[in-house]
Amino acid sequence: MCVSDGRIVAVEAYDADGLDGAQDLGDTALLPGLVDTHVHVNEPGRTEWEGFSSATRAAAAGGVTTIVDMPLNSLPPTVSVAALAQKRAAATGQCHVDVGFWGGAIPGNAADLPALYDAGVFGFKAFLVDSGVPEFPPLDPSGLRTAIGAVDALFVVHAEDPDEIVPAAASRRYADFVDSRPAKAETGAVAAVVEAAKETGARLHVLHVSAAPALAATMGVANVTVETCPHYLTLTAEEVPDGATEFKCCPPIRGADNREALWQGLATGAIDCVVSDHSPCTPELKRGDTGDFAAAWGGIASLQIGLPVVWTQATARGFTLTDVVRWMAQRPAEIVGLTRKGRIAAGYDADLVAFDPDAAFVVDAGRLRHRHPVTPYHGRALLGKVQRTWLRGTVVDGVAPLGRLLVRGSS
């Protein structure tokens, strides 16, 4: 492979002559940098939860070279051009990987969406259920159609039906939390998203599917894409100990049979991509003191270890690194329109990862680079280590912030 001015200019045979300055990685795999389109950085406003510096260092350490930041839980949320300007100002000079931004669709801001789209966001995030923060309220199905009608853009939707969710009572039992957010809450809401896509012709993307039965509604609908997350492909409800609130996320981790059905969804193409939904908070908000799942913040921090988490499970089921690259680099880039990311091919950015697929390690939360050492993967044995990450042909060292702020249509 030949690189010039940060771009791949040619991919040559391994033993090609005349390649000045060539590096031989031996048996280490060379992958395109991962593209994670579902990351909550939380800065500005909740930088004590996470921030651009810590989040992008963690991303680079995990082989992720591009992230797209969600419009919440920052303050203000990215629901106007002015809020986007604040977000970009906060990120400037801090990023160790490239960063793009989602806009947000909330009740009452449909008129703001065209200008926000013109300002360079990659599309719009909407919730059909309480988001967990008051400044980002949900849309009902009618409100979603109003937002869709305001701008020709990609809409990414947290699809759970609030009418099927039962307020969770205080409990240390994970099963009680799962019962409060049943699979039918997802299946009904995903069906509503699909119906909106069929009626409007808009591009809609279903976020973080955890309930495999919800996939039935999306099959064969060309303008609907689907993601899931490493935790849904790895963790199971049966293994969550009492009071282990680091496992809490919304929608919840479900049973082992459901996990296998999600893997089948990846195999058939019903699920397009795998992204982190990195959603950290302060340790206090995880309520480790009480272990109360109802009171704890729902979110899992895994930005740095998503690749080995997925690879560990994928290789055990007969999938290859080519499959993992498709799910975690190529398809996320394609879905959001990052035309120079996610592949090793001429014309693409030289965003690369040296990955040893056979190296084993045990996760130590204290060595992760996101802001707080809280993760359900602590102590878990994984397979595959990121050895080095390049951004546009330059090694990311975690000291010099090399990342650029991306604008839709320019990358």
Side-chain angles (χ1 to χ4, degrees), residues 47-112:
T47 312
E48 70 275 13
W49 293 19
E50 186 67 284
F52 284 102
S53 179
S54 54
T56 57
R57 278 192 179 93
V64 177
T65 53
T66 304
I67 66 171
V68 186
D69 172 58
M70 282 291 168
L72 71 164
N73 303 301
S74 54
L75 291 169
T78 314
V79 295
S80 67
V81 172
L84 175 63
Q86 288 182 256
K87 180 74 71 78
R88 291 178 63 87
T92 298
Q94 290 206 76
C95 298
H96 296 267
V97 302
D98 287 354
V99 178
F101 302 95
W102 292 108
I106 61 173
N109 85 325
D112 296 306

Side-chain angles (χ1 to χ4, degrees), residues 218-264:
T218 69
M219 293 296 291
V221 185
N223 54 326
V224 175
T225 49
V226 178
E227 73 183 36
T228 194
C229 304
H231 39 279
Y232 300 129
L233 296 169
T234 301
L235 307 173
T236 64
E238 294 90 342
E239 73 183 275
V240 179
D242 287 352
T245 54
E246 63 270 23
F247 286 81
K248 181 181 176 181
C249 57
C250 299
I253 295 158
R254 304 190 189 276
D257 290 345
N258 181 83
R259 177 186 63 183
E260 298 312 310
L262 291 175
W263 278 104
Q264 183 62 25

Side-chain angles (χ1 to χ4, degrees), residues 4-5 36-37 39 51 72 94 117 146 150-151 163 170 188 208 214 241 257 266 301 310 332 338 358 377 382 392:
S4 178
D5 295 327
D36 192 336
T37 54
V39 178
L72 71 164
Q94 290 206 76
Y117 196 52
T146 298
V151 60
D163 292 336
H208 49 47
D257 290 345
L266 281 167
V310 172
L338 286 163
D358 299 319
Y377 298 108
L382 297 178
R392 286 181 296 278

Side-chain angles (χ1 to χ4, degrees), residues 107 140 158 175 206 273 296 307 356 368 389 391 404 410:
D140 59 20
H158 181 129
V206 182
C273 62
L307 176 55
D356 183 348
L368 300 179
T389 300
L391 186 65
R404 297 175 182 173
S410 66

Side-chain angles (χ1 to χ4, degrees), residues 16-374:
D17 294 328
L19 300 180
D20 296 334
Q23 301 179 50
D24 188 345
L25 298 178
D27 293 332
T28 301
L30 185 66
L31 312 180
L34 304 189
V35 177
D36 192 336
T37 54
H38 196 150
V39 178
H40 294 268
V41 177
N42 305 331
E43 186 177 5
R46 291 192 175 99
T47 312
E48 70 275 13
W49 293 19
E50 186 67 284
F52 284 102
S53 179
S54 54
T56 57
R57 278 192 179 93
V64 177
T65 53
T66 304
I67 66 171
V68 186
D69 172 58
M70 282 291 168
L72 71 164
N73 303 301
S74 54
L75 291 169
T78 314
V79 295
S80 67
V81 172
L84 175 63
Q86 288 182 256
K87 180 74 71 78
R88 291 178 63 87
T92 298
Q94 290 206 76
C95 298
H96 296 267
V97 302
D98 287 354
V99 178
F101 302 95
W102 292 108
I106 61 173
N109 85 325
D112 296 306
L113 301 185
L116 189 50
Y117 196 52
D118 289 343
V121 298
F122 283 80
F124 297 95
K125 166 76 173 284
F127 276 78
L128 300 184
V129 69
D130 179 30
S131 72
V133 291
E135 67 276 3
F136 203 98
L139 297 173
D140 59 20
S142 174
L144 179 62
R145 282 174 170 76
T146 298
I148 289 170
V151 60
D152 181 15
L154 174 64
F155 280 78
V156 300
V157 185
H158 181 129
E160 288 182 281
D161 182 350
D163 292 336
E164 298 292 350
I165 293 176
V166 180
S171 176
R172 290 173 53 84
R173 295 182 67 248
Y174 184 69
D176 292 337
F177 170 64
V178 176
D179 288 346
S180 75
R181 301 182 87 103
K184 64 181 178 180
E186 276 190 86
T187 55
V190 170
V193 169
V194 170
E195 189 62 27
K198 290 178 177 178
E199 290 180 3
T200 65
R203 293 177 295 137
L204 293 174
H205 178 76
V206 182
L207 297 169
H208 49 47
V209 166
S210 83
L215 298 173
T218 69
M219 293 296 291
V221 185
N223 54 326
V224 175
T225 49
V226 178
E227 73 183 36
T228 194
C229 304
H231 39 279
Y232 300 129
L233 296 169
T234 301
L235 307 173
T236 64
E238 294 90 342
E239 73 183 275
V240 179
D242 287 352
T245 54
E246 63 270 23
F247 286 81
K248 181 181 176 181
C249 57
C250 299
I253 295 158
R254 304 190 189 276
D257 290 345
N258 181 83
R259 177 186 63 183
E260 298 312 310
L262 291 175
W263 278 104
Q264 183 62 25
L266 281 167
T268 63
I271 298 173
D272 295 271
C273 62
V274 181
V275 292
S276 69
D277 191 9
H278 179 73
S279 185
C281 66
T282 62
E284 293 77 16
L285 288 174
K286 272 298 188 183
R287 297 309 302 267
D289 56 339
T290 65
D292 180 4
F293 281 99
W297 175 258
I300 286 177
S302 66
L303 186 55
Q304 184 173 334
I305 52 176
L307 176 55
V309 166
V310 172
W311 173 239
T312 300
Q313 298 293 320
T315 189
R317 292 168 173 80
F319 294 102
T320 67
L321 277 176
T322 300
D323 296 317
V324 172
V325 165
R326 183 174 66 255
W327 302 329
M328 302 187 77
Q330 179 182 333
R331 286 298 287 139
E334 290 172 344
I335 288 167
V336 303
L338 286 163
T339 58
R340 296 201 300 266
K341 304 291 188 181
R343 295 192 186 201
I344 296 178
Y348 282 72
D349 288 348
D351 299 347
L352 304 165
V353 182
F355 181 68
D356 183 348
D358 299 319
F361 72 102
V362 174
V363 177
D364 178 354
R367 297 177 65 86
L368 300 179
R369 298 188 183 184
H370 58 75
R371 188 172 296 279
H372 299 291
V374 178

